[in-house]
């Protein structure tokens, strides 16, 4: 049984157990919640303790990998610039669309109130400055104090500047620092792995209290969350089609036919890495030469997650909606910046680890309580399908767009057939990134 399945079953068992206990044995339910509540909180705190060092280490190594790839040549540089532009655009899209969706289809007030009570009326993590103070405080005066206060946006800005500075060092100290932060990230991932071994217990305890307090409202709220967050992934997925058709100078129907096999692999594996061979074949059918695909697609799999910043921000915005926390321009700006910047640090991690490492910094930067994330991670399997398919589709779209800008994509169906009939070298080669895990999960 996979870890995601165990976590989902623990969530269901906790919710159903809490609902039944509250209905048929209220006295027992009250006593049980007094025990399960602290256990669930302790498990959540164990996850929180590694977030700061993990995000800092992953951001440094992610930027270092991007800079190294950009130095590989013009094709890699164009690809990375395209990646960055798309990541910021989809993040801004989520900031505009999610509040609109929640206004048109809000979570029923009684469900939200019941869940807030079940989660113990969690308080926001910290005060978020007004818009003027936001720009004044975006650069930290004391990075240690920012880390201690969970001020993730200024901490992220400092880490980004530090990471770019590392890329300008001579080879020996640069390699030393990157390896150090890679080791820190690996150690944090090991710790999170240990904590997640206890996830069924922690989530069961948290879910028991929620079920006892909310009844069946918890199931409706989780379904509502899945629909809202998956809708953002669907928008990114749909946007990949015009990106591929217009940027790659191919017909929309032709792009859709070529990318469909890669999407099928993505659905079945929930892994961009496992979909890489299928993406290479799809790109070849669209006329992208192996010389371009062998550079762009491995880089895309390593550092590019088209759906991640948008869906991570959507999770944070949903938590604000769920917990009744009003958001102003400063909070949304903090969420957008944190989501867009940190997305390159969440690559190649198993799904549950990626979800915590990617969404918690965004929520904390916006001043939101993160207790709800412990429940939302249990149903991440469904949104993760949209993440993976959207990522794979956009990877192919960017690949053929970069190829078209180098004059490498045939302009007609007959040209594409002639190009695909020519012998091609192995597109994989040594370009495949080494620090990638085949585990599913795309946040």
């Amino acid at each position: 049984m996979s870890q995601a399945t165990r976590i989902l079953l623990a969530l269901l068992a906790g919710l159903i157990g809490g609902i039944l206990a509250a209905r048929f044995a209220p006295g027992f339910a009250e006593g049980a919640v007094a025990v399960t509540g602290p256990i669930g909180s302790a498990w959540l705190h164990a996850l929180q303790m590694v977030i700061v060092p993990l995000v800092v280490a992953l951001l440094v190594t992610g930027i270092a990998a991007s800079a190294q790839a950009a130095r590989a040549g013009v094709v890699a540089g164009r690809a990375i610039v395209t990646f960055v532009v798309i990541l910021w655009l989809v993040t801004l899209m989520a900031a505009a669309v999610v509040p609109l969706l929640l206004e048109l289809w809000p979570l029923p007030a009684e469900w939200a109130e019941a869940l807030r009570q079940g989660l113990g009326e969690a308080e926001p993590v910290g005060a978020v400055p007004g818009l003027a103070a936001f720009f004044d405080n975006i650069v930290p005066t004391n990075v240690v104090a920012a880390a201690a206060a969970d001020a993730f946006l200024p901490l992220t800005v400092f880490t980004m500047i530090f990471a770019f500075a590392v890329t300008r060092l001579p080879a020996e100290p640069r390699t030393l620092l990157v390896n150090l932060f890679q080791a820190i990230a690996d150690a944090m991932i090991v710790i999170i792995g240990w904590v997640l071994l206890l996830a069924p217990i922690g989530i069961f305890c948290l879910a028991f209290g929620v079920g006892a307090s909310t009844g069946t409202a918890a199931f409706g709220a989780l379904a509502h969350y899945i629909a809202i967050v998956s809708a953002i992934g669907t928008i990114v997925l749909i946007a990949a089609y015009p990106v591929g058709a217009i940027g790659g100078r191919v017909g929309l129907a032709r792009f859709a036919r070529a990318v469909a096999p890669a999407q099928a692999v993505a659905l079945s594996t929930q892994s961009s890495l496992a979909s890489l061979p299928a993406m290479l074949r799809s790109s070849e059918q669209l006329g992208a030469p192996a010389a371009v695909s062998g550079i762009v697609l491995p880089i895309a799999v390593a550092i590019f997650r088209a759906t991640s910043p948008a869906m991570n921000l959507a999770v944070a915005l949903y938590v604000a909606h769920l917990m009744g926390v009003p958001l102003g321009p400063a909070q949304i700006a903090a969420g957008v910046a944190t989501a867009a910047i940190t997305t390159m640090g969440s690559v190649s991690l198993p799904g549950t680890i990626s979800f915590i490492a990617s969404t918690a910094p965004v929520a904390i930067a916006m001043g939101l309580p993160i207790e709800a994330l412990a429940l939302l991670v249990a149903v991440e399997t469904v949104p993760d399908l949209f993440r993976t398919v959207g990522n794979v589709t956009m990877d192919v779209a960017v690949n053929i767009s970069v190829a078209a800008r180098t004059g490498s994509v045939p302009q007609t169906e007959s040209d594409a057939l002639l190009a695909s009939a020519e012998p091609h070298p192995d597109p994989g080669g040594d370009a495949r990134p080494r620090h990638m895990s085949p585990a599913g999960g795309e946040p």
Side-chain angles (χ1 to χ4, degrees):
M1 186 183 298
S2 69
Q3 184 182 58
T5 302
R6 289 195 299 270
I7 290 175
L8 180 60
L9 290 177
L11 173 73
L12 295 175
L15 290 175
I16 294 172
I19 292 170
L20 294 177
R23 183 162 190 173
F24 297 108
F28 169 78
E30 184 177 351
V33 168
V35 175
T36 59
I39 295 175
S41 296
W43 176 79
L44 180 62
H45 294 160
L47 278 179
Q48 289 178 258
M49 72 179 179
V50 298
I51 290 175
V52 169
L54 177 64
V55 170
V56 169
L58 288 175
L59 191 56
V60 170
T61 55
I63 290 176
S66 302
Q68 182 177 0
R71 285 194 290 267
V74 175
V75 170
R78 286 178 176 174
I80 290 174
V81 170
T82 306
F83 295 160
V84 172
V85 171
I86 289 175
L87 291 174
W88 278 93
L89 288 177
V90 298
T91 310
L92 292 171
M93 176 276 297
V97 172
V98 174
L100 179 61
L101 289 177
L102 291 174
E103 183 176 350
L104 295 174
W105 185 30
L107 181 67
E110 60 274 16
W111 292 4
E113 178 62 27
L115 280 174
R116 284 195 292 270
Q117 293 178 359
L119 292 170
E121 296 288 351
E123 295 295 329
V125 173
V128 177
L131 193 57
F134 166 80
F135 290 104
D136 185 53
N137 296 330
I138 193 171
V139 178
T141 57
N142 186 330
V143 66
V144 176
D150 283 338
F152 256 96
L153 181 58
L155 178 63
T156 299
V157 170
F158 169 80
T159 304
M160 181 178 64
I161 295 171
F162 175 81
F164 280 114
V166 168
T167 66
R168 302 301 298 272
L169 295 177
E172 185 175 350
R174 181 177 69 245
T175 302
L176 179 65
L177 279 174
V178 171
N179 288 341
L180 171 64
F181 279 98
Q182 184 64 56
I184 293 173
D186 291 343
M188 294 301 105
I189 291 171
V190 170
I191 294 174
I192 291 183
W194 291 341
V195 175
L196 289 177
L197 288 176
L198 302 174
I201 297 174
I203 288 180
F204 173 86
C205 291
L206 291 171
F208 186 91
V210 171
S213 301
T214 66
T216 56
F219 292 101
L222 290 174
H224 185 261
Y225 159 79
I226 290 171
I228 294 294
V229 175
S230 298
I232 299 302
T234 302
I235 292 173
V236 178
L237 168 62
I238 293 172
Y241 286 86
V243 169
I246 297 172
R249 302 169 190 170
V250 298
L252 190 62
R254 178 182 162 198
F255 175 81
R257 288 195 303 270
V259 81
Q263 293 173 329
V265 175
L267 276 173
S268 62
T269 63
Q270 291 183 257
S271 170
S272 292
L273 176 58
S275 305
L276 181 57
M279 285 191 281
L280 289 165
R281 288 193 295 272
S282 296
S283 298
E284 184 180 23
Q285 291 175 11
L286 292 167
V292 174
S293 298
I295 295 173
V296 176
L297 287 177
I299 295 175
V301 170
I303 64 174
F304 181 48
R305 294 289 188 273
T307 61
S308 288
M311 295 183 73
N312 295 340
L313 181 62
V315 173
L317 291 172
Y318 193 89
V319 169
H321 180 71
L322 172 64
M323 304 306 292
V325 178
L327 296 177
Q331 291 91 330
I332 294 176
V336 168
T338 304
I341 293 171
T342 59
T343 187
M344 286 190 177
S346 64
V347 297
S348 307
L349 300 176
T352 48
I353 296 177
S354 287
F355 181 85
I356 297 298
S358 303
T359 58
V362 181
I364 294 172
M366 297 173 70
L368 302 174
I370 66 172
E371 283 76 6
L373 296 180
L375 294 180
L376 301 182
V377 69
V379 294
E380 176 58 20
T381 299
V382 177
D384 194 43
L385 293 172
F386 293 89
R387 289 180 185 266
T388 311
V389 177
N391 291 339
V392 165
T393 308
M394 191 66 81
D395 286 350
V396 175
V398 171
N399 181 44
I400 65 170
S401 298
V402 172
R405 291 206 299 274
T406 63
S408 303
V409 173
Q411 300 303 303
T412 66
E413 290 275 1
S414 58
D415 291 340
L417 290 173
L418 289 173
S420 63
E422 297 176 357
H424 293 288
D426 177 15
D430 293 330
R432 180 175 293 183
R434 291 182 296 171
H435 299 295
M436 294 194 298
S437 166
E442 294 290 324

